[in-house]
Amino acid sequence: MTVVLTGATSGIGRAAARLLAPQVTRLILHGPQRPQEVTGQLEELRAAGSGEVHYVHADFDSLAMVRALASEISKITDRVDVLINNAGRPGAPRRRLSHDGNEATLQTNYLAAVLLTERLTPLLVASGGRVVHVASATHLSASLDPDDLNLERSHYSATTAYARSKLALVAHARWLVEQAAPPQPDTVSLHPGVISTELLHAMFDIGGDSVVHGAHNVVNAALSTGRWAGQYLDERRPVQPNPITLDADFRHRLAHRTFDLLHHSGKAPEKG
């Protein structure tokens, strides 16, 4: 089994990598650090299992680097059984644009995940694979105007930017299995729990469960048998997501505007 895990060098992602290493034959990790900065982590993971462990660096502030990440993964493997889109950032204190001109939280948490998923879809379909979007319960109280994805006309706050990006991820998970052109991988989105990470504490003055707790929930979604078919999980339990994500017209408009942004910033996959 080949698993690709983004955001694997800290928080839930780092803990999930530890859980996955003994269970998979090939683990491909992504992080924003240079390879020489994560040699200790890679040595630990290689010692924990008998499978391959690879690392590819990419800064999701640049969509060109997301494309390069997908290309590097394609050189390492001809199949991906599970893609875990875990990479994320808190909302910035003030609205900030990415290298590509998109609101930075939206790009790192959502646009990069969509682009990487699209680029890896042939490898996922080849294995009957699965995509796991690590979302957040904050999406339940969020609203999102597909015509204002970059928050150019709406009030900006760090928590608003973060919750909107996760709402988009939940909607994308369902769009992939219900509206995108077939064949498409199985897809699921989940709230991993309220987890004590730097990301959480950057926006909320609350405590949380351990990163291991969150990692177990992510790995459960990744490795469970059967099909998730676009469902949203609260930790391990399928629950109703924000009602707007169940609206096919909303998902269509969001997908259309998402691909517009990806095309505007350079090369992008074709629309499904």
Side-chain angles (χ1 to χ4, degrees), residues 34-50:
R34 299 288 178 180
Q36 59 268 29
E37 299 176 68
V38 296
T39 53
Q41 180 187 5
L42 299 181
E43 289 171 359
E44 173 193 339
L45 294 173
R46 287 171 181 142
S50 58

Side-chain angles (χ1 to χ4, degrees), residues 234-251:
D234 182 348
E235 300 199 17
R236 302 192 184 195
R237 182 170 57 95
V239 297
Q240 285 290 95
N242 188 315
I244 194 66
T245 67
L246 304 178
D247 183 323
D249 180 64
F250 168 79
R251 296 193 306 253

Side-chain angles (χ1 to χ4, degrees), residues 114-145:
V114 172
L115 181 56
L116 184 61
T117 299
E118 291 296 321
R119 289 295 173 106
L120 295 183
T121 289
L123 304 187
L124 287 155
V125 170
S127 65
R130 170 178 293 160
V131 176
V132 178
H133 284 336
V134 180
S136 166
T138 60
H139 94 278
L140 292 166
S141 59
S143 60
L144 178 63
D145 177 1

Side-chain angles (χ1 to χ4, degrees), residues 3 30 34-35 37 39-42 49 74 88 103 105 117 122 140 142 148 152 159 166 181 191 193 203 214 256 262:
V3 175
H30 151 268
R34 299 288 178 180
E37 299 176 68
T39 53
Q41 180 187 5
L42 299 181
S74 297
E103 191 277 310
T105 315
T117 299
L140 292 166
D148 188 26
E152 295 169 298
T159 53
K166 297 301 186 178
H191 167 60
M203 295 182 292
H256 180 74
L262 292 174

